[in-house]
Amino acid sequence: LITLTIDNISINVDDDTTVAAAILNLGISAFRKSVGGESRGPLCGMGICFECRVTIDGVPHQRSCNKFVTEGMKVVTGE
Amino acid sequence: MNYDVAIVGAGIVGAACAASLSASGLRVAVVESKGIASGATAAGMGHIVMMDDSEAQLALTCYSRKLWNELAGELPSEAEYDRCGTIWVAADADEMDEVRRKQSVYAEHGFRTEILDGTSMRALEPNLRDGLAGGLLVKDDSVVYQLCATKFLLDRSIRYGAKTMTGVAVAKVSDGGVTLENGDVISAGVIINAAGASAQLLNPQLKIVKRKGHLAITERYPNFVRHQLIELGYLKSAHGSNADSVAFNIQPRRTGQILLGSSRQFGSDDSRLDFSILQRMTARAFEYMPGLRNLSTVRVWTGFRPATPDNLPYIGKIPGFDNVYAACGHEGLGITTSLGTADLLSSAILGRRSAIPIEPYSPSRTITEH
């Protein structure tokens, strides 16, 4: 199991979990905000639509569907 | 149809002329071969900036800037008008001399500026690298989303009764009207050639060459950059020689996105990306703002500045005609100088006294190449 934090909540997930799946497992569907302030979440699940972007370890605009969780990763959603 | 004025080109200059002349009660038609703001207007940065390469350039840019700041309250929020100011960034002591020279010129004219040392500049722009000498903050320069501003100006002209025709190519301009490619004639008392880089195709006496540029836009990184930042070396790069050049020139957008330039290339009609100059351009930017390396770009594109041999636009009557005027050749300053251009040309057409002399921009001037 891998331990990571999503919005300061610590969770354990299997090591072959994508960041997007880990976020959805926490019940979060609003991954980010559009320019107009609307909530956005994953659509294509394969790195094309850019809707699932979150901040990972301080780096904004990371596509969470295309990235696997790593030990100690810090994810921030809703930005 | 018979009009008082037919304007060729619906870029920001044509749109500004349409707004100004229709507001004076003239019946205006705008004829555009492609789409609204489809040429240099769309490709550029939307920087409203005072420039002082020559007295005439300073007069036109600062008068236009004043008109923009007066118009600001009427622009819709989509136009993202932001009076963020420009910082001319000096890398070394030589460039600080240029900062002081610029400052004294602007102070003479009563414009608000502030000389920054390296520390105070970094306080304003923390993502600039350590060790830069300083800069000149030019207050009251602005950034605008030029596509929405162009639409605003055209919409205003339409409210005053102007007609805009897009997808209509003009084959010929002459005293009395414009001849379309399909052979139709639009009769008009006055014709304005505001066709940007294509203006020379209609009036070969206008010397305009295309100066290619590249721009990139990033994802949203709010507050990463707060002012329009331009390296002072830009002045050398922009006007120094005919060789290809790049300069650090970066702009904060209201959305939090960052617009990154700039490059200049002569002699290319090819709109495809040139990856070698793009790489030079980004490398130059990384020298000034190392943190840019970690940001993501969403789009890169090219455009063509309509450049004249002396870096001044053509505004006024075209030699050999009684009623055909030019409003073109604005190179990289068309957004800034669009409003001043329209005001000068309206005054000339309506026989009014203009706020600044129009003669330095006359298409019949003797041009000495820089």
Side-chain angles (χ1 to χ4, degrees):
Chain A
L1 286 176
I2 298 265
T3 305
L4 72 156
T5 66
I6 297 174
D7 299 338
N8 288 321
I9 301 164
S10 184
I11 58 161
N12 299 313
V13 295
D14 287 338
D15 60 4
D16 57 355
T17 305
T18 64
V19 176
I23 296 169
L24 288 168
N25 272 322
L26 262 185
I28 295 169
S29 57
F31 279 44
R32 67 183 189 94
K33 290 274 199 296
S34 72
V35 175
E38 294 166 326
S39 294
R40 293 287 161 89
L43 177 70
C44 75
M46 57 185 192
I48 305 296
C49 74
F50 282 72
E51 294 289 17
C52 69
R53 282 171 288 157
V54 296
T55 298
I56 300 178
D57 294 331
V59 183
H61 305 299
Q62 302 296 296
R63 281 166 285 176
S64 60
C65 71
N66 256 5
K67 214 156 181 139
F68 289 110
V69 295
T70 57
E71 188 61 36
M73 180 183 270
K74 288 187 168 54
V75 177
V76 179
T77 72
E79 291 181 321
Chain B
M1 261 309 276
N2 194 19
Y3 295 91
D4 294 321
V5 184
I7 299 170
V8 184
I12 197 162
V13 172
C17 291
S20 174
L21 288 161
S22 61
S24 299
L26 299 183
R27 289 167 302 153
V28 174
V30 180
V31 190
E32 162 61 49
S33 66
K34 298 193 179 83
I36 290 164
S38 54
T41 297
M45 260 187 156
H47 185 200
I48 294 161
V49 58
M50 203 155 57
M51 294 280 283
D52 64 321
D53 284 353
S54 61
E55 273 298 321
Q57 189 188 58
L58 181 63
L60 185 60
T61 55
C62 71
Y63 178 56
S64 298
R65 191 183 73 157
K66 175 174 164 279
L67 295 176
W68 274 110
N69 282 330
E70 286 167 6
L71 186 68
E74 298 172 56
L75 291 171
S77 63
E78 310 92 81
E80 298 177 5
Y81 194 83
D82 184 4
R83 207 191 278 202
C84 60
T86 303
I87 298 178
W88 292 91
V89 178
D92 54 29
D94 281 353
E95 291 184 359
M96 275 313 278
D97 288 344
E98 174 64 10
V99 161
R100 282 181 281 270
R101 188 202 64 78
K102 258 176 131 45
Q103 198 274 335
S104 70
V105 170
Y106 294 165
E108 226 170 83
H109 289 82
F111 302 127
R112 301 196 305 148
T113 59
E114 186 182 333
I115 294 182
L116 308 170
D117 62 17
T119 313
S120 53
M121 186 166 70
R122 271 195 104 196
L124 293 178
E125 292 290 348
N127 285 304
L128 280 173
R129 78 166 161 83
D130 200 10
L132 292 165
L136 181 67
L137 169 60
V138 180
K139 299 170 184 179
D140 307 317
D141 279 0
S142 303
V143 162
V144 69
Y145 187 42
Q146 68 273 21
L147 299 188
C148 288
T150 304
K151 183 171 180 302
F152 167 84
L153 292 166
L154 270 184
D155 285 348
R156 170 168 280 193
S157 74
I158 288 164
R159 276 208 315 281
Y160 285 115
K163 186 166 172 7
T164 299
M165 297 165 242
T166 55
V168 177
V170 171
K172 189 168 177 282
V173 297
S174 45
D175 286 325
V178 298
T179 308
L180 306 181
E181 274 189 354
N182 68 8
D184 289 355
V185 174
I186 297 175
S187 303
V190 167
I191 318 299
I192 298 175
N193 182 348
S198 305
Q200 194 175 8
L201 301 177
L202 296 172
N203 294 111
Q205 59 270 68
L206 302 173
K207 298 298 171 213
I208 295 176
V209 292
K210 292 180 176 181
R211 219 168 179 189
K212 184 178 178 180
H214 289 71
L215 285 177
I217 192 155
T218 70
E219 293 282 7
R220 286 177 280 146
Y221 302 96
N223 291 317
F224 189 91
V225 184
R226 294 150 188 184
H227 305 77
Q228 176 104 21
L229 303 179
I230 314 182
E231 65 162 297
L232 268 169
Y234 173 87
L235 299 170
K236 292 173 231 160
S237 112
H239 309 301
S241 74
N242 289 342
D244 291 357
S245 65
V246 298
F248 170 59
N249 184 346
I250 195 166
Q251 176 179 96
R253 306 296 318 183
R254 273 273 178 86
T255 55
Q257 290 177 287
I258 300 164
L259 198 46
L260 175 68
S262 61
S263 71
R264 282 174 190 265
Q265 292 171 287
F266 274 116
S268 175
D269 252 351
D270 186 346
S271 64
R272 285 175 301 182
L273 297 177
D274 174 340
F275 285 95
S276 67
I277 196 145
L278 191 59
Q279 189 177 31
R280 279 176 59 198
M281 180 179 106
T282 50
R284 188 72 182 164
F286 297 161
E287 282 176 36
Y288 282 83
M289 280 200 147
L292 283 172
R293 281 178 188 284
N294 304 321
L295 310 190
S296 303
T297 297
V298 291
R299 197 162 76 87
V300 180
W301 67 95
T302 64
F304 294 96
R305 306 170 181 92
T308 65
D310 62 358
N311 306 119
L312 289 174
Y314 295 120
I315 308 169
K317 202 174 282 184
I318 300 174
F321 294 96
D322 293 324
N323 298 305
V324 181
Y325 292 76
C328 52
H330 293 72
E331 195 170 356
L333 288 169
I335 312 302
T336 299
T337 54
S338 56
L339 297 186
T341 297
D343 195 63
L344 284 180
L345 209 50
S346 293
S347 297
I349 289 167
L350 296 164
R352 292 191 306 223
R353 196 181 153 77
S354 56
I356 58 172
I358 194 173
E359 289 73 21
Y361 322 103
S362 166
S364 61
R365 68 186 181 264
T366 310
I367 289 182
T368 31
E369 294 206 24
H370 276 198

